[in-house]
Amino acid sequence: MAPGHYFWAIFYFACLCSASLANNAKVNFREKEKKILDQILGAGKYDARIRPSGINGTDGPAIVRINLFVRSIMTISDIKMEYSVQLTFREQWLDERLKFDDIGGRLKYLTLTEANRVWMPDLFFSNEKEGHFHNIIMPNVYIRIFPYGSVLYSIRISLTLACPMNLKLYPLDRQVCSLRMASYGWTTADLVFLWKEGDPVQVVKNLHLPRFTLEKFLTDYCNSKTNTGEYSCLKVDLLFKREFSYYLIQIYIPCCMLVIVSWVSFWLDQGAVPARVSLGVTTLLTMATQTSGINASLPPVSYTKAIDVWTGVCLTFVFGALLEFALVNYASRSADRAADIQRENMKKKRREMEQVSLDAASDLLDTDSNATFAMKPLVRHPGDPMAMEKLRQCEVHMQPPKRPNCCRTWWSRFPTRQCSRSKRIDVISRITFPLVFALFNLVYWSTYLFREEEED
């Protein structure tokens, strides 16, 4: 065979060998993963009941680093004092028993879906009410084992957590809802939780809540001591600010309108009894219904809330307008009775005067015909008291007129006679009620807004 043919034959054989080795290497790579898992997790080689060693293989506590990704916050309930959140929970620790050969960097990590194959921290959420995993389409959980023995556990869960609230400033309040994670059985001598360095908590962008705004969140430690030892604990404080625009439209403006409508009765005639009674009772019942609806969406607490002060004062103003009409009606009926009594007295006096006149006429007829009558002089002497009285009256009329007083002029329209008392009550109410309500608004908003800034 010619030397050229030998060369091509050797080249062809080398290509076949390289292709075969490449195929074998590809197949052997997956087989290598199986062998590694069998090697590190095989029976009698790894015991998931034993916790990992401490730093550098010491007998110190195992260090577990935690980080969270808040996917959504569904509801925040005032009446139940709880909130629902969906998050991706991750924890990472070092278990040197799980070290393996990464085949020259080609094997980055091994993936497991069975958490019972390796040791797991006994973490639980201490303020949890309800919770569940997500299993559609497959369980949303994985475990990654890295070549140097680091283990990453990740799971997607939904939780309903308790959130004790202070509602003294409701609805001008801010609430702090916590997420607490602690070890259930391992004390700090065996297990310590730490926040992951850098960015331990992430929140999804464009997080929208119906009545709250997530202002910020803070991470902290909350280790607890009990009779059985000290346990490691982590917490996240979520600071929520209540959106006031909803309550302004649904509560504050309607209450102001009801109070103003109750003042319309001050401008109605005092004789329009059905109209004024209907207006007062309707606004009072509407205000009471509004107050009941507000309290139905809140828990029964022992202290006074800001909304209780507002609704209580508005209800008092509406009730005061109804009482004002009762006072006006009473004053009007009293004036009618006084007028009737005055008319009866006038009639009685008129009858008495008529009787006196008749008696005088009969006496004249009975007098003697040669009786003389004394004629009074038409011109009075200077010392006459009647002439002096007339002179004083003329002097009074000759005095220069005084400058008019606005308040007296306005008040003179409603003299102090009994028949004008009811009108005076209405006029005073038209000015007093709006002024007092405006003063209340000034004190209310300045007080609670100032207290809100102090809490911030």
Side-chain angles (χ1 to χ4, degrees):
M1 186 179 291
H5 292 87
Y6 282 112
F7 173 76
W8 288 110
I10 294 171
F11 178 76
Y12 179 74
F13 182 76
C15 290
L16 289 176
C17 291
S18 63
S20 177
L21 288 173
N23 290 333
N24 290 335
K26 184 176 182 181
V27 173
N28 290 339
F29 179 73
R30 296 306 174 195
E31 288 293 329
K32 189 68 174 178
E33 291 184 17
K34 178 180 179 301
K35 290 181 180 180
I36 292 174
L37 288 174
D38 292 338
Q39 179 182 356
I40 62 177
L41 298 176
K45 295 182 179 180
Y46 183 86
D47 193 345
R49 298 173 298 175
I50 307 302
R51 71 169 180 88
S53 301
I55 300 175
N56 298 326
T58 61
D59 196 31
I63 305 299
V64 179
R65 298 191 178 274
I66 307 294
N67 74 308
L68 305 173
F69 175 65
V70 180
R71 293 181 173 271
S72 64
I73 299 175
M74 280 75 76
T75 57
I76 301 176
S77 175
D78 296 316
I79 190 168
K80 295 182 179 180
M81 291 196 177
E82 64 183 22
Y83 72 105
S84 300
V85 61
Q86 182 186 128
L87 52 87
T88 298
F89 172 76
R90 306 185 190 97
E91 52 186 356
Q92 192 168 7
W93 66 94
L94 181 64
D95 193 344
E96 295 181 352
R97 297 172 295 175
L98 299 176
K99 288 182 179 181
F100 63 89
D101 183 14
D102 60 353
I103 315 176
R106 297 181 63 186
L107 191 59
K108 294 183 178 180
Y109 53 81
L110 301 174
T111 301
L112 295 176
T113 57
E114 301 175 359
N116 57 354
R117 298 290 301 275
V118 297
W119 176 86
M120 294 287 299
D122 60 344
L123 181 140
F124 77 104
F125 298 94
S126 59
N127 60 333
E128 173 201 355
K129 287 186 174 181
E130 295 179 359
H132 66 272
F133 302 119
H134 293 266
N135 298 319
I136 300 175
I137 299 177
M138 292 292 292
N140 298 164
V141 58
Y142 67 79
I143 298 175
R144 289 178 182 175
I145 303 175
F146 294 89
Y148 52 90
S150 178
V151 181
L152 174 63
Y153 175 75
S154 177
I155 187 171
R156 186 166 72 99
I157 54 178
S158 292
L159 300 170
T160 300
L161 304 165
C163 178
M165 298 182 181
N166 185 357
L167 300 174
K168 288 184 178 180
L169 297 181
Y170 176 90
L172 300 167
D173 58 334
R174 283 177 168 84
Q175 300 298 336
V176 179
C177 295
S178 299
L179 173 64
R180 294 174 176 265
M181 300 160 286
S183 172
Y184 189 80
W186 299 96
T187 63
T188 53
D190 297 309
L191 180 63
V192 173
F193 291 120
L194 297 176
W195 285 112
K196 183 181 179 181
E197 297 178 356
D199 193 9
V201 178
Q202 302 93 35
V203 179
V204 66
K205 295 182 179 179
N206 301 322
L207 180 64
H208 296 288
L209 298 173
R211 288 183 294 175
F212 287 89
T213 300
L214 179 61
E215 289 191 325
K216 58 182 178 180
F217 52 88
L218 304 172
T219 58
D220 200 357
Y221 296 90
C222 54
N223 292 3
S224 60
K225 290 184 179 181
T226 65
N227 294 333
T228 56
E230 182 179 0
Y231 297 89
S232 183
C233 175
L234 304 178
K235 73 172 182 176
V236 184
D237 291 332
L238 303 173
L239 277 68
F240 296 103
K241 179 183 179 182
R242 198 181 299 272
E243 288 291 341
F244 180 68
S245 57
Y246 168 81
Y247 300 93
L248 180 65
I249 297 172
Q250 297 294 327
I251 296 177
Y252 284 92
I253 292 179
C255 289
C256 284
M257 294 173 65
L258 286 174
V259 172
I260 294 173
V261 167
S262 68
W263 299 342
V264 175
S265 63
F266 303 153
W267 300 87
L268 297 179
D269 186 72
Q270 58 185 357
V273 177
R276 297 187 71 162
V277 170
S278 301
L279 182 62
V281 172
T282 302
T283 52
L284 183 62
L285 292 178
T286 307
M287 191 66 216
T289 305
Q290 181 87 349
T291 304
S292 300
I294 295 169
N295 292 329
S297 61
L298 295 173
V301 294
S302 59
Y303 48 82
T304 302
K305 303 179 290 293
I307 195 67
D308 294 336
V309 176
W310 176 264
T311 54
V313 172
C314 290
L315 189 62
T316 303
F317 271 93
V318 175
F319 184 67
L322 186 60
L323 289 183
E324 188 270 348
F325 168 67
L327 183 60
V328 167
N329 192 23
Y330 174 76
S332 178
R333 287 187 287 108
S334 299
D336 292 340
R337 286 197 299 268
D340 293 339
I341 294 173
Q342 188 176 4
R343 281 194 295 269
E344 291 295 331
N345 292 334
M346 292 295 292
K347 289 180 181 178
K348 189 175 181 180
K349 288 180 180 180
R350 191 178 297 112
R351 286 195 298 267
E352 291 177 355
M353 291 178 67
E354 290 176 355
Q355 185 66 33
V356 170
S357 301
L358 291 176
D359 293 341
S362 61
D363 290 342
L364 277 172
L365 293 175
D366 293 338
T367 53
D368 191 20
S369 59
N370 26 350
T372 58
F373 298 92
M375 301 295 295
K376 296 181 180 180
L378 296 178
V379 180
R380 299 188 181 275
H381 298 286
D384 193 348
M386 293 296 294
M388 297 298 294
E389 180 65 24
K390 289 292 183 179
L391 183 60
R392 280 196 296 270
Q393 290 181 3
C394 292
E395 289 178 355
V396 169
H397 287 292
M398 291 298 292
Q399 289 179 357
K402 296 181 179 179
R403 295 182 61 183
N405 192 329
C406 297
C407 296
R408 289 183 178 179
T409 304
W410 176 79
W411 190 257
S412 64
R413 297 179 183 179
F414 306 98
T416 57
R417 292 181 296 113
Q418 186 76 10
C419 60
S420 299
R421 276 187 192 169
S422 57
K423 294 182 180 179
R424 233 179 327 118
I425 293 173
D426 276 341
V427 172
I428 294 173
S429 300
R430 293 171 193 173
I431 299 173
T432 304
F433 273 72
L435 286 179
V436 176
F437 189 68
L439 180 62
F440 162 71
N441 273 270
L442 179 63
V443 174
Y444 179 87
W445 294 113
S446 60
T447 300
Y448 283 101
L449 291 178
F450 180 71
R451 289 179 61 181
E452 183 185 9
E453 292 177 358
E454 281 187 347
E455 286 195 352
D456 294 343

